């Protein structure tokens, strides 16, 4: 390109690598030249011009404002121009001057750090001319403009403490109240969120600042903006490149000297002068400044050279300086030639870093004058709090039995499908264990025992009655001999003689003698007659009874006696077996079946729950329970995969919905407002028309006051005007409806496209709702399938555990098909368990020195803090349980938890997530108990009229547990567990439930639906 233009000098701001690309050219004569228009560079050599153009066309340039890279020079220059105009239009004018003055000569290297620093400082700082929103004390918000700002400095006491922090007050002119002004501080002012953001600030600073390419260069406001806002552009001397270079070199020299273990001043020791002792403040290294360098150069060396003027040369090279980062040091006064060089006051200790919550709960400072934890309730008779009457007084339940009650109830309800039991409420379960009657059987009590016993040994027709549990070692040794004998009894005799078969070996005789010796030792030290009752019928022990399912007339109790007598040899169950067998098979009664059956109603609830706990622990070893766990685990894996797929589909649908909404915005003009807004505008116009007509009527009446009043004519004219006004409104409405109908008949192309988009949006919304429902169903399936363990909600600051047993492995209100499903709840209580031994000894019951440290830090010991903050009720060990059954208490507990603690913030989150469900079930429990308590009071009046001579009359109506029926067993088996198996009659088919549990070789598998997926406890329908 040829041109004869005069020389042009221009600096470009496009970035290449770390620095600006500067182009400066000049031509002093009229020559044949080539010019690049974008940079106005002039070339007299064509090859240079081509080389420059090739360089500009490379994808190596960066837009200084947006930060976009990988562009050629011309694209980057255009991007900077467009971004610069956008920033100039959007950034507030009132903030430009103070922000530019703040960042001038800043040495913060990274732009992100600079943006964060400036944003935090100006976030709550406002300036005159800025549009803000004033927040009044009553919560109302008013828009206004800051007219004047007054700043008040910080006040510091002589001891260094702050008396008053710095603050500012603002006079704000209110837009909606022109005659009023508000005098407020910064806490009552806010900006519009879109006015001042980090992104806008970043763009503004990039557009307004530049700096040199060397490391540590300060930021500088561009000359044009500095001139506009009268900002000083003279760089301080200490920020110049040569000064920074000298400082860096000095720092490196100092670090090298420190690495060698000596400083420059200590080299004076070779001239028989005392060494210079350097004193530094602990943990502090001052930053080297130009002032320190001048002190070290001009003062220190002058004094040293003057002192050593009569001696030999020191040997210091010229220009070597003392390490000036040692701000606090002096020369020992024992040598008269050395003088005090520098001394400054000790620096203030740095402030402690702010605590980042959450932290360990017991390290959170206690809050004074706060309400304690709400009082808990106790199910047991004995209460761990002295002087307090327990809510369970008179129930006969000991505190150590509460955990067993919860454990057995949870096990029976979680595995109710394996046991073929209807689910039942915790209150009915306790009442059933307390039920005592020899004549009226409690179906819940009997079915629970028989259902668990049936899982321990198979039926005689199933694998020949295979035992599903691990028997004690002693029994395994005697099993071989037992099959060869003819039902030998363990009943004691005066002179027991062993029966030896003709064909025996020495080993068999030795085994027989050992067994007899053990039996004799057991007889001498026996506490009960459990073994005799088990063998009261020759050759018909507990195993044979269980194989034949001989549960009728209470004979399931005899099977339990045999089992307990068998496991009495194990250390794990010995104590439980002894306690129960002493009551069921006492020494002072005959060893018969009737003895055990008659003794069971006399057992209290504590021994009965121990029996069930023993049976449940044995059942967990069976293949049926283990197979059920494996099935649930595989189901959970399947449910998780389905949930992930549903979440992915939902996310894709949300992206599609977002795109459709953008398309709708482009197709739907602003004139097509929503229908409700149009109706409101039409109503406002009609009101205005009516008000104008009413004003005209009033004017006519006022003009006619001087004339003779004609009332009838006046009223007729008013009615005519009202009718005319109504007719005009109707005509206008009909006209609009007709226009809309015509428009609907002949839609435009844009309207048709909009209609399609809206239809797609509705379809996508339906799909999203479907995915959300599917995710909720899968979450519930995962919760119900999580049966291997009972999950805890969380722990509080004193390591108390909180349980809501409906949370996992069971429907919230029990099985919907249960006979007592109308109760609407399963447990409905929030249970609290005390800390275990390790937690108690490690965090609460500390050693004396640790308690003293804690008391010094917080002014109170851990044990005292627990007694104060927990209020009137406590749990001290893991064997102590308490509960909440009131929604108000639950809300008070959530408010008591401190979110600054690691454990309590998690517990609070879980309680808030389950709060609504817990409250609903608590209310259901109150309603259920109230209804049955009323029925019980009525039955008591009826029982008082009935008297018997020898037996106590038991009214089944007055007991809630008597309403429970095992409908699951009837549907699956055709009979109860306690009833003998019934044969099928000809022409009559047994009615079975659609959802069956198929037992195959001691293992049960769950039924499947039509699609092959295993059914959940609530089938395929849920109500959330």
């Amino acid at each position: 390109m040829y041109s004869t233009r005069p020389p042009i000098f221009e600096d470009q701001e496009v970035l290449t690598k770390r620095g600006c690309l500067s182009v400066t050219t000049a031509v002093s004569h009229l020559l044949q030249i080539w010019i690049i228009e974008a940079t106005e560079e002039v070339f007299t050599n064509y090859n240079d011009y081509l080389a420059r153009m090739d360089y500009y066309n490379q994808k190596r340039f960066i837009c200084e404002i947006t930060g976009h890279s990988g562009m050629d020079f011309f694209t980057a220059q255009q991007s900077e121009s467009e971004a610069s105009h956008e920033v100039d239009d959007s950034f507030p004018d009132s903030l430009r001057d103070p922000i530019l003055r703040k960042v001038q000569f800043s040495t913060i290297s990274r732009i992100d750090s600079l943006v964060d620093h400036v944003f935090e400082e100006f976030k709550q700082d406002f300036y005159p001319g800025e549009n803000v929103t004033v927040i009044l004390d009553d919560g109302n918000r008013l828009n206004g403009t800051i007219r004047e700002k007054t700043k008040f400095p910080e006040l510091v006491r002589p001891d260094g403490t702050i008396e008053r922090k710095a603050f500012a007050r603002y006079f704000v002119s209110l837009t909606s109240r022109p005659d009023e002004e508000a005098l407020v501080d910064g806490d009552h002012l806010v900006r519009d969120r879109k006015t001042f953001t980090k992104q806008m600030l970043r763009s503004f600073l990039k557009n307004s600042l530049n700096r040199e390419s060397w490391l540590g260069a300060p930021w500088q406001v561009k000359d044009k903006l500095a001139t506009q806002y009268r900002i000083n552009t003279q760089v301080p001397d200490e920020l110049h490149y040569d000064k920074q270079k000298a400082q860096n070199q000095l720092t490196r020299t100092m670090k090298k000297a420190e690495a060698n273990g000596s400083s420059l001043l200590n080299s004076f020791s070779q001239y028989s002068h005392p060494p210079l002792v350097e004193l530094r403040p602990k943990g502090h290294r001052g930053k080297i400044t130009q002032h320190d360098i001048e002190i070290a150069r001009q003062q220190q060396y002058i004094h040293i050279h003057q002192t050593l003027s009569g001696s030999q040369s020191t040997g210091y090279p010229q220009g070597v300086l003392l390490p000036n980062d040692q701000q606090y040091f002096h020369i020992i006064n024992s040598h008269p030639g050395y003088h005090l060089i520098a001394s400054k006051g000790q620096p203030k200790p740095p402030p402690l870093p702010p605590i980042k919550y959450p932290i360990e709960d017991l390290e959170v400072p206690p809050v004074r004058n706060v309400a304690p934890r709400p009082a808990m309730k106790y199910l047991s008779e004995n209460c761990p709090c002295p002087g307090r009457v327990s809510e369970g007084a008179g129930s006969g339940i000991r505190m150590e039995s509460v955990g067993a009650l919860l454990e057995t109830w949870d096990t029976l309800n979680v595995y109710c499908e394996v046991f073929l039991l209807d689910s039942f409420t915790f209150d009915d379960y306790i009442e059933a264990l307390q039920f005592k009657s020899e004549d009226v059987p409690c179906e819940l009590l009997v079915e629970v025992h028989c259902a668990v016993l049936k899982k321990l040994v198979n039926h005689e027709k199933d694998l020949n009655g295979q035992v599903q549990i691990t028997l004690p070692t002693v029994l395994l040794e005697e099993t071989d001999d037992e099959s060869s004998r003819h039902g030998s009894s363990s009943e004691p005799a005066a002179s027991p003689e062993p029966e030896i078969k003709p064909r025996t070996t020495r080993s068999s005789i030795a085994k027989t003698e050992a067994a007899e010796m053990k039996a004799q030792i057991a007889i001498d030290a026996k506490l009960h007659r459990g073994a005799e009752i088990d063998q009261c019928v020759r050759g018909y022990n507990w195993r044979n009874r269980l194989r034949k399912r001989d549960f009728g007339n209470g004979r399931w109790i005899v099977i339990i006696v045999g089992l307990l007598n068998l496991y009495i040899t194990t250390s794990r169950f010995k104590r439980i077996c002894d306690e129960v067998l002493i009551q069921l098979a006492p020494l002072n009664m005959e060893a018969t079946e009737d003895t055990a059956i008659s003794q069971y109603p006399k057992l209290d609830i504590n021994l009965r729950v121990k029996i069930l706990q023993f049976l449940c622990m044995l059942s967990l070893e069976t293949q049926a329970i283990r197979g059920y766990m494996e099935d649930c685990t595989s189901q959970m894996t399947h449910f998780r995969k389905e949930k992930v797929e549903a979440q992915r589909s939902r996310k894709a649908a949300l992206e599609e919905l977002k795109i459709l909404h953008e398309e709708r915005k482009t197709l739907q003009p602003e004139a097509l407002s929503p229908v409700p807004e149009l109706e409101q505008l039409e109503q406002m116009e009609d009101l205005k028309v009516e008000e104008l007509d009413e004003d005209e009527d009033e004017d006519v009446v006022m003009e006619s006051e001087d004339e003779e009043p004609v009332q009838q004519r006046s009223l007729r004219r008013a009615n005519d005007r009202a009718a005319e006004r109504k007719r005009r409104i109707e005509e206008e409405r009909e006209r609009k409806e007709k226009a809309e109908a015509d428009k609907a008949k002949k839609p435009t192309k844009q309207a048709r496209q909009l209609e399609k988009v809206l239809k797609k949006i509705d379809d996508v919304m339906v799909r999203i709702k479907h995915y959300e429902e599917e995710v909720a169903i899968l979450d519930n399936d995962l919760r119900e399938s999580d049966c291997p363990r009972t999950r805890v909600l969380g722990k509080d600051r004193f390591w108390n555990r909180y349980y809501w047993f409906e949370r996992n492995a069971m429907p919230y209100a029990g099985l919907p098909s249960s006979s007592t499903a109308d109760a609407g709840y399963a447990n409905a209580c929030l249970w609290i368990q005390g800390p275990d031994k390790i937690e108690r000894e490690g965090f609460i019951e500390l050693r004396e020195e640790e308690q003293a440290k804690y008391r010094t830090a917080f002014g109170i010991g851990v044990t005292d803090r627990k007694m104060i903050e927990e209020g009137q009720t406590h749990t001290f060990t893991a064997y102590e349980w308490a509960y909440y059954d009131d929604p108000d208490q639950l809300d008070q507990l959530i408010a008591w938890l401190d979110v600054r603690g690691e454990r309590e913030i998690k517990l609070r989150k879980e309680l808030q997530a389950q709060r609504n469900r817990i409250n609903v079930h608590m209310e259901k429990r109150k309603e259920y108990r109230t209804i049955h308590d009323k029925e019980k009071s009525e039955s008591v009046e009826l029982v008082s009229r009935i008297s018997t001579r020898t037996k106590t009359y038991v009214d089944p109506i007055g007991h809630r547990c008597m309403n429970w029926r095992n409908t699951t067993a009837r549907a699956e088996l055709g009979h109860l567990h306690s009833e003998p198996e019934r044969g099928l009659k000809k022409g009559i088919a047994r009615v079975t439930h659609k959802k069956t549990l198929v037992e195959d070789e001691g293992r049960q598998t769950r039924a499947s639906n039509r699609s092959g997926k295993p059914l959940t406890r609530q089938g395929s329908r849920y109500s959330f």
Side-chain angles (χ1 to χ4, degrees):
M1 179 178 180
Y2 296 93
S3 176
T4 57
R5 299 179 61 179
I8 299 173
F9 299 89
E10 184 68 27
D11 291 333
Q12 302 296 332
E13 297 296 335
V14 175
L15 298 180
T16 172
K17 295 185 179 179
R18 291 182 57 88
C20 299
L21 177 65
S22 299
V23 289
T24 304
T25 62
V27 179
S28 59
H29 302 284
L30 297 178
L31 299 174
Q32 184 179 5
I33 60 175
W34 290 265
I35 299 177
I36 300 177
E37 292 288 347
T39 62
E40 297 184 353
E41 290 179 89
V42 181
F43 297 89
T44 59
N45 189 300
Y46 185 65
N47 292 331
D48 295 341
Y49 167 76
L50 290 179
R52 195 65 168 177
M53 286 298 296
D54 290 340
Y55 173 69
Y56 285 156
N57 289 324
Q58 294 177 10
K59 304 289 186 178
R60 57 184 302 177
F61 295 94
I62 304 170
C63 176
E64 187 181 19
I65 299 177
T66 62
H68 296 166
S69 60
M71 298 185 291
D72 57 47
F73 175 83
F74 307 106
T75 306
Q77 191 179 43
Q78 183 180 359
S79 175
E80 286 185 1
S81 178
E82 295 175 356
S84 178
H85 290 302
E86 292 179 1
V87 172
D88 290 338
D89 295 340
S90 60
F91 199 78
D93 294 335
S94 55
L95 293 176
R96 300 188 182 209
D97 185 10
I99 289 179
L100 291 177
R101 295 184 183 276
K102 177 66 179 178
V103 300
Q104 179 72 320
F105 307 133
S106 175
T107 56
I108 299 176
S109 58
R110 294 179 55 86
I111 185 65
D112 294 335
S113 302
L114 182 64
V115 169
D116 294 339
H117 175 71
V118 175
F119 183 80
E120 290 299 327
E121 183 163 346
F122 285 85
K123 183 170 60 175
Q124 290 296 329
D125 199 7
F126 306 90
Y127 293 88
E130 192 173 358
N131 295 325
V132 295
T133 300
V134 180
I135 303 176
L136 303 181
D137 293 335
D138 56 0
N140 294 330
R141 293 173 175 256
L142 300 176
N143 296 328
T145 304
I146 296 178
R147 182 179 62 84
E148 186 178 347
K149 174 182 178 180
T150 305
K151 298 180 69 174
F152 297 89
E154 182 181 73
L155 296 181
V156 182
R157 298 187 182 93
D159 58 355
T161 59
I162 299 176
E163 180 179 356
R164 184 192 67 191
K165 294 183 178 180
F167 67 97
R169 292 183 181 260
Y170 306 88
F171 285 95
V172 183
S173 300
L174 303 178
T175 305
S176 59
R177 303 177 184 178
D179 299 333
E180 296 182 12
E181 283 189 346
L183 177 61
V184 294
D185 55 7
D187 295 336
H188 291 77
L189 293 178
V190 292
R191 292 189 183 93
D192 186 2
R193 293 182 178 178
K194 299 180 181 180
T195 302
F196 184 62
T197 63
K198 285 188 177 181
Q199 184 63 32
M200 293 178 60
L201 179 59
R202 179 189 179 94
S203 300
F204 172 72
L205 293 180
K206 279 193 170 185
N207 190 36
S208 306
L209 302 177
N210 56 22
R211 61 175 175 177
E212 299 179 6
S213 59
W214 53 276
L215 185 63
W219 293 98
Q220 299 183 49
V221 179
K222 293 182 178 180
D223 294 339
K224 181 180 178 181
L225 295 175
T227 304
Q228 179 181 352
Y229 294 105
R230 299 180 180 179
I231 299 175
N232 181 23
T233 58
Q234 185 176 0
V235 182
D237 294 338
E238 62 270 14
L239 297 180
H240 285 174
Y241 175 71
D242 54 347
K243 300 294 184 181
Q244 289 290 323
K245 185 177 180 181
Q247 179 180 344
N248 295 336
Q249 183 178 0
L250 183 61
T251 304
R252 288 193 297 269
T253 304
M254 177 189 62
K255 290 183 178 179
K256 184 176 180 180
E258 289 180 353
N260 294 331
S262 61
S263 64
L264 293 176
L265 284 176
N266 289 335
S267 61
F268 281 102
S269 59
Q270 60 181 329
Y271 307 109
S272 69
H273 294 289
L276 301 181
V277 181
E278 42 184 332
L279 302 178
R280 302 183 183 181
K282 184 178 180 181
H284 178 80
R285 294 191 62 180
K287 186 176 180 181
I288 302 174
T289 62
Q290 183 65 23
H291 179 66
D292 296 328
I293 296 175
E294 295 298 331
I295 290 178
R297 185 189 301 273
Q298 298 175 7
Q299 296 182 7
Q300 297 175 5
Y301 280 93
I302 292 175
H303 288 293
I304 292 173
H305 284 289
Q306 289 178 353
T307 305
L308 302 177
S309 58
S311 63
Q312 58 181 351
S313 175
T314 59
Y316 277 110
Q318 294 293 330
V320 177
L321 305 180
L322 284 176
N324 51 11
D325 68 330
Q326 304 171 8
Q327 295 185 12
Y328 315 104
F329 67 94
H330 69 276
I331 300 177
I332 296 179
N333 295 325
S334 60
H335 193 279
Y338 292 97
H339 305 282
L340 182 63
I341 295 179
S343 64
K344 295 184 180 179
Q346 292 294 329
K348 297 180 181 178
L352 295 176
I355 301 175
K356 294 182 179 180
Y357 295 105
I359 59 175
E360 162 60 33
D361 296 71
L362 289 176
E363 293 180 1
V364 176
V367 181
R368 310 295 180 184
N369 301 324
V370 176
R373 187 182 64 182
M376 302 181 297
K377 297 181 180 180
Y378 298 97
L379 183 65
S380 59
E381 279 190 330
N382 53 328
C383 177
C385 304
R388 177 181 173 83
V389 179
S390 173
E391 288 76 12
S395 62
I397 303 174
R398 293 196 294 266
M399 178 61 77
E400 55 267 21
S401 300
V402 177
L405 285 169
L406 292 169
E407 176 187 341
T408 53
W409 175 85
D410 187 61
T411 302
L412 293 171
N413 277 269
V414 167
Y415 301 106
C416 62
E417 292 178 334
V418 181
F419 295 128
L420 294 182
L421 289 171
D422 274 22
S423 60
F424 44 88
T425 65
F426 185 66
D427 296 309
D428 292 349
Y429 178 61
I430 293 177
E431 191 177 52
L433 290 177
Q434 292 174 330
F435 184 81
K436 297 181 180 180
S437 175
E438 298 180 5
D439 300 329
V440 181
C442 176
E443 184 172 330
L444 175 58
L445 182 64
V446 176
E447 284 295 296
V448 163
H449 288 84
C450 294
V452 179
L453 286 171
K454 288 175 69 174
K455 296 303 171 186
L456 306 182
V457 178
N458 289 350
H459 193 272
E460 60 182 352
K461 297 179 180 179
D462 182 11
L463 297 178
N464 197 22
Q466 182 179 358
V467 179
Q468 296 294 320
I469 57 177
T470 303
L471 299 178
T473 307
V474 176
L475 180 68
L476 292 176
E477 294 176 354
E478 299 175 357
T479 303
D480 299 334
D481 296 338
E482 193 176 291
S483 61
S484 62
R485 297 173 187 172
H486 298 285
S488 61
S489 175
S490 59
E491 188 173 351
S495 58
E497 296 180 359
E499 296 182 4
I500 304 176
K501 292 186 177 183
R503 294 182 180 181
T504 57
T505 61
R506 295 181 180 180
S507 60
S508 62
I509 296 175
K511 289 182 179 179
T512 304
E513 292 176 354
E516 290 177 355
M517 290 178 62
K518 292 180 180 179
Q520 185 65 36
I521 294 173
I523 291 172
D524 295 339
K526 69 179 182 179
L527 302 174
H528 52 77
R529 309 186 71 175
E532 302 170 33
I533 291 178
D534 182 38
Q535 299 288 344
C536 62
V537 178
R538 185 178 297 273
Y540 196 60
N541 59 0
W542 68 271
R543 190 186 313 169
N544 296 327
R545 295 175 188 273
L546 195 50
R547 287 170 178 168
K548 295 181 178 296
R549 304 296 190 248
D550 187 9
F551 299 138
N553 298 325
R555 286 190 292 274
W556 55 271
I557 303 174
V558 182
I559 298 175
I560 292 176
V561 171
L563 266 175
L564 292 172
N565 181 70
L566 174 64
Y567 280 88
I568 202 171
T569 59
T570 62
S571 59
R572 182 182 181 187
F573 299 112
K574 178 175 175 55
R575 186 175 60 85
I576 296 177
C577 295
D578 282 337
E579 290 180 4
V580 177
L581 289 177
I582 288 174
Q583 299 295 328
L584 291 179
L587 294 174
N588 58 353
M589 297 183 70
E590 296 181 359
T592 61
E593 295 179 352
D594 295 337
T595 298
I597 296 173
S598 62
Q599 285 295 110
Y600 184 83
K602 300 177 182 179
L603 297 180
D604 62 359
I605 186 175
N606 303 288
L607 292 178
R608 291 186 178 187
V609 75
K610 286 183 179 180
I611 294 174
L612 271 175
Q613 186 182 26
F614 165 73
L615 295 178
C616 288
M617 294 174 73
L618 292 180
S619 68
L620 294 179
E621 302 177 8
T622 62
Q623 189 62 28
I625 298 294
R626 293 184 179 276
Y628 184 82
M629 290 184 183
E630 294 175 2
D631 292 342
C632 288
T633 303
S634 61
Q635 284 182 22
M636 291 179 68
T637 303
H638 176 72
F639 291 149
R640 289 192 186 99
K641 293 180 180 179
E642 287 189 348
K643 181 180 177 181
V644 170
E645 292 297 329
Q647 289 176 335
R648 288 177 180 173
S649 302
R650 177 180 175 273
K651 185 177 180 180
L654 288 174
E655 294 294 333
E656 184 180 354
L657 181 64
K658 183 179 179 181
I659 296 173
L660 289 174
H661 273 300
E662 295 295 332
E663 188 176 352
R664 179 188 62 82
K665 291 180 181 179
T666 57
L667 293 175
Q668 186 174 10
E670 296 180 358
L672 297 178
S673 302
V675 177
E677 297 180 3
L678 287 175
E679 293 178 354
Q680 292 179 2
L681 291 174
E682 291 176 359
Q683 292 177 1
M684 291 176 63
E685 290 176 359
D686 294 340
L687 289 174
K688 289 180 180 179
V689 171
E690 292 178 2
E691 289 175 0
L692 289 174
D693 293 338
E694 289 175 0
D695 292 340
E696 291 177 0
D697 294 344
E698 291 177 0
D699 293 339
V700 171
V701 172
M702 292 298 295
E703 291 175 358
S704 61
E705 283 180 357
D706 298 334
E707 301 176 357
E708 237 175 311
V710 183
Q711 296 293 336
Q712 294 181 353
R713 184 177 181 183
S714 158
L715 289 173
R716 282 199 302 269
R717 290 180 61 189
N719 292 334
D720 293 342
R721 284 193 297 271
E724 181 66 19
R725 190 163 58 249
K726 185 177 180 181
R727 185 181 61 80
R728 289 200 304 268
I729 294 173
E730 291 294 336
E731 289 178 356
E732 182 66 20
R733 184 173 292 126
E734 290 177 1
R735 185 185 63 78
K736 291 181 180 179
E737 291 177 356
K738 185 177 180 181
E740 291 178 357
D742 295 340
K743 189 174 181 180
K745 291 179 181 178
K746 299 179 180 180
T748 61
K749 182 179 180 180
Q750 183 177 356
R752 290 195 298 270
Q753 292 178 353
L754 178 61
E755 185 178 356
K756 292 181 180 179
V757 171
L758 293 176
K759 187 177 180 181
K760 290 181 180 179
I761 290 176
D762 294 338
D763 295 340
V764 174
M765 291 292 292
V766 172
R767 282 164 45 202
I768 291 174
K769 185 177 180 181
H770 169 71
Y771 293 139
E772 291 175 349
E773 292 176 353
E774 187 175 354
V775 170
I777 291 174
L778 291 171
D779 283 335
N780 194 69
D781 291 342
L782 285 169
R783 182 188 64 81
E784 291 186 0
S785 301
D786 189 14
C787 63
R789 67 188 65 84
T790 301
R791 297 189 180 274
V792 63
L793 285 175
K795 305 175 185 177
D796 63 11
R797 68 195 70 164
F798 301 111
W799 295 91
N800 297 306
R801 289 173 169 83
Y802 291 75
Y803 292 91
W804 187 48
F805 289 97
E806 293 96 320
R807 185 194 180 203
N808 67 311
M810 68 175 71
Y812 288 116
L815 291 178
S817 59
S818 174
S819 58
T820 55
D822 57 338
Y825 77 98
N827 191 302
C829 294
L830 180 65
W831 290 90
I832 299 93
Q833 182 187 19
D836 59 23
K837 183 179 179 180
I838 297 177
E839 295 165 347
R840 190 174 65 253
E841 293 178 354
F843 294 92
I844 300 175
E845 299 175 359
L846 304 177
R847 294 191 298 270
E848 187 61 33
E849 58 270 16
E850 295 177 348
Q851 285 280 12
K853 291 181 182 179
Y854 192 90
R855 192 175 292 105
T856 303
F858 299 102
I860 189 174
V862 181
T863 307
D864 298 335
R865 180 177 179 179
K866 174 181 173 67
M867 300 301 293
I868 294 174
E869 295 184 358
E870 285 188 345
Q872 303 175 355
T873 54
H874 313 277
T875 50
F876 299 102
T877 66
Y879 299 101
E880 296 176 352
W881 290 79
Y883 67 94
Y884 291 114
D885 62 349
D886 187 79
D888 295 335
Q889 292 179 332
L890 178 60
D891 294 338
Q892 294 173 13
L893 173 65
I894 294 175
W896 177 75
L897 298 175
D898 196 337
V899 296
R900 297 177 295 173
E902 293 176 346
R903 295 187 295 276
E904 292 196 355
I905 188 174
K906 297 177 183 178
L907 175 59
R908 181 187 176 94
K909 181 181 178 181
E910 288 291 339
L911 289 176
Q912 287 178 336
Q914 305 290 347
R915 174 181 172 275
N916 294 334
R917 293 191 182 96
I918 297 176
N919 288 347
V920 169
H921 293 134
M922 285 182 175
E923 295 294 342
K924 291 285 187 181
R925 178 175 181 267
K926 286 183 180 180
E927 181 181 353
Y928 180 71
R929 290 171 61 91
T930 301
I931 293 174
H932 286 276
D933 288 345
K934 183 178 180 181
E935 294 177 356
K936 188 174 183 179
S937 62
E938 294 175 355
S939 65
V940 169
E941 297 178 0
L942 179 62
V943 170
S944 62
R945 303 173 188 174
I946 302 175
S947 62
T948 57
R949 296 183 179 180
T950 58
K951 298 181 180 179
T952 303
Y953 176 77
V954 177
D955 182 21
I957 300 178
H959 295 79
R960 295 187 303 269
C961 62
M962 302 300 291
N963 297 330
W964 184 87
R965 296 291 181 269
N966 193 3
T967 59
T968 302
R970 286 190 172 96
E972 299 290 341
L973 305 175
H975 58 85
L976 297 176
H977 293 295
S978 57
E979 297 175 349
E981 185 175 354
R982 301 172 184 174
L984 295 177
K985 297 181 179 180
K986 294 183 179 180
I988 301 177
R990 182 182 300 173
V991 180
T992 59
H993 199 265
K994 292 183 179 180
K995 185 179 70 173
T996 60
L997 291 171
V998 183
E999 185 171 346
D1000 183 12
E1001 297 183 0
R1003 174 170 176 169
Q1004 295 181 352
T1005 57
R1006 303 182 70 178
S1008 303
N1009 57 15
R1010 295 180 180 178
S1011 61
K1013 297 180 180 179
L1015 290 174
T1016 57
R1017 302 187 172 202
Q1018 296 187 2
S1020 58
R1021 300 179 63 186
Y1022 296 88
S1023 56
F1024 298 102

